[in-house]
Each structure stands twice: as structure tokens, then as C-alpha cells.
Amino acid sequence: MLLVGTDVEKDVRVYKRKIRAVGQMEIRSDLMDAHLYAFNRTTLQDVLEQKEAYRSIRLEVLPYLVKSQLRSAPSGGEGTIVDETGNVVVPPSSNLQCLSQHRAIAPSAFKQDLLASSGGGTHRCCVYIASKNKYCHRLNSIQAYCDINRDVIGEASHLSGYSFSSHNNIIHPSCVLGSKSTVGPQCMLAEGSQLGDKCGVKRSVIGRHCRIGSNVKIVNSVVMNHVVIEDGCHIQGSVVCNNVQLQERAVLKDCQVGAGYTVTTGSDHKSESLARK
């Protein structure tokens, strides 16, 4: 049983019949639901046809499938299962063969006794638990997006395909840095980008083929591809999307700038979302 930490109440009730159904149970609250689900298409269609009021995969469909897999087998015969209407259903061997194939791909999602037993409920629900050497993150906010970019130049640097320099940053060999410009630790400067003179980059990711003028400061930010930043601009805690142009002396703090937007000369923006209309 996997319990998301934010969903766990003080007391958790586990019925004896569920323990008997699986034989062995491990309860954990230290895992995060990545909100990535894979279904058998026919099964999902059947559930949605039976439960027309369902509106949420996570809150309604998944709990229903989990409950149905724990329904006990009838006493009338070994290897049979009961559906919601009480009808006896014999699971086809192809289902078990399919589970065996998935087990080879994601062994952490399966217990041997589940595969060996055909007397469970009408469905099989399994979970893949990523090992500690894998990288998995839920991307559902601007902050999460920034965190992931920082991870790529930190603990998950292997995802970028680049190697850290002696200064603990990633600078593509094709990049050009002007006089007295600095790129701090845990920063990334991608292919073909250029920095003018006296620029400073700290804890930020800069994408491909960006053109950055002189006296520009970029801190705790993500700058995507083909961005033009003119002289004297300051960017802090912001996300700047592809093909954006920042004209001279523009200031951004805690902003999100949509693709293709032009930030005008000398403008000062704080905690704003800027996008083309």
C-alpha cells in the first residue's frame, strides 16, 4: 500500500480482508505520486462506462480499481474471481502473460505471489517505484520547473549529457564569454550562446543560441533558447521562454515571460506573467 504523505491522516484503517487477500503488505508514506498512470484501454473504457459520474483518474478511477483487485475469490472454485454483479469470471491466461512481461520491465512494481495467484479481483493494479539512482519529479508548477532545471545542473546532471567544468558548472565549448564575465557554480550555458562583457550568471540555466549583452545580471532564473538580452538587464527568479527579447535596462524579478514577448527598454516588472496577446 502506497500512501502519499500529504494525503495521510493521523489514523489509517486497513481491513483484515485486504491483508488476507495479498498475504503480505508494506505501508509507506515516504513516496510521491508522480501523477503518471498507464491503463489497459479496454479496462479504462469499461470503468468509465460503468461509472459515468467519475471525473478524476486519481481520486475516483484508481481507488475503484484498487478496491476491485482486492475482492476475494468465491468459494465455488479455485482460480475464479467475482465481478461487481456477483458473476464468476475466469481471468484469461493472456492477462498473466502480460503481467509477466511488465514484471520484467518494472520488477519493483510486482510481487511474485501476485503473478502466481489467479484468484484475486477483477483487475491487477501495480506501481513502479523508481530506485534512488533514477530521477523522477512531478512538474505541476513554475517553482517545480525551476527546481528541475537546477537539478539538471546538480544531482541530476547526467541528464544533460554534459560534464561539469573545474568551476562546477556546465559551459558548452561553442559558447563565447566576454571580458570579466562570470558563470558561477551550478549554472549551465548551452550550445552557441554568447555573453557580453562584465556579465554575471548565478544558479541559472541559459539555453541554446542566446545573445546576451554587457553588464547583464541573471540570478536563480531559467532562460530558454534564442533569447536576446540587451545591455544592462537584470533578471532574478524568473523564467524566460523561447525567442523573447529584453531591451536595454529591463528588469525582471519573479516573472514568467511567454515565448516571443518583447520587454521594452527600461521597464521594471515584479511578480508578473508577461505574454503576447
Side-chain angles (χ1 to χ4, degrees), residues 14-32:
V14 181
Y15 293 100
K16 290 183 179 180
R17 63 182 178 83
K18 292 185 179 180
I19 299 176
R20 288 195 296 266
V22 298
Q24 180 180 358
M25 180 178 292
E26 177 183 359
I27 300 178
R28 298 179 58 172
S29 61
D30 60 338
L31 301 174
M32 175 181 288

Side-chain angles (χ1 to χ4, degrees), residues 40-144:
N40 175 287
R41 181 175 179 178
T42 302
T43 299
L44 183 59
Q45 287 178 332
D46 289 345
V47 171
L48 295 179
E49 288 174 359
Q50 295 172 24
K51 305 291 184 180
E52 295 182 356
Y54 280 1
R55 294 293 180 267
S56 171
I57 293 288
R58 183 174 68 90
L59 299 177
E60 295 173 313
V61 175
L62 282 179
Y64 170 79
L65 291 174
V66 170
K67 288 179 181 178
S68 67
Q69 77 167 345
L70 294 176
R71 291 193 177 91
S72 301
S75 57
E78 182 179 358
T80 58
I81 57 180
V82 177
D83 63 17
E84 281 195 309
T85 63
N87 295 323
V88 175
V89 180
V90 179
S93 59
S94 59
N95 286 353
L96 295 179
Q97 181 181 1
C98 180
L99 281 171
S100 299
Q101 294 170 350
H102 286 305
R103 183 179 186 275
I105 299 172
S108 68
F110 295 86
K111 298 292 185 182
Q112 186 62 37
D113 55 355
L114 277 179
L115 291 175
S117 171
S118 61
T122 57
H123 306 290
R124 289 283 184 245
C125 301
C126 303
V127 61
Y128 174 75
I129 302 176
S131 58
K132 291 184 177 181
N133 63 343
K134 305 294 184 182
Y135 182 81
C136 186
H137 202 296
R138 185 193 299 169
L139 176 53
N140 58 355
S141 68
I142 296 296
Q143 184 59 52

Side-chain angles (χ1 to χ4, degrees), residues 34 56 75 100 106 124-125 156 171 173 189 204 219 240 253 258 261:
S56 171
S75 57
S100 299
R124 289 283 184 245
C125 301
I171 301 177
L189 193 59
S204 297
V219 181
V240 180
K253 184 176 181 180
Y261 189 85

Side-chain angles (χ1 to χ4, degrees), residues 253-271:
K253 184 176 181 180
D254 300 326
C255 292
Q256 298 87 48
V257 185
Y261 189 85
T262 298
V263 183
T264 56
T265 300
S267 58
D268 191 334
H269 300 275
K270 182 178 181 179
S271 301

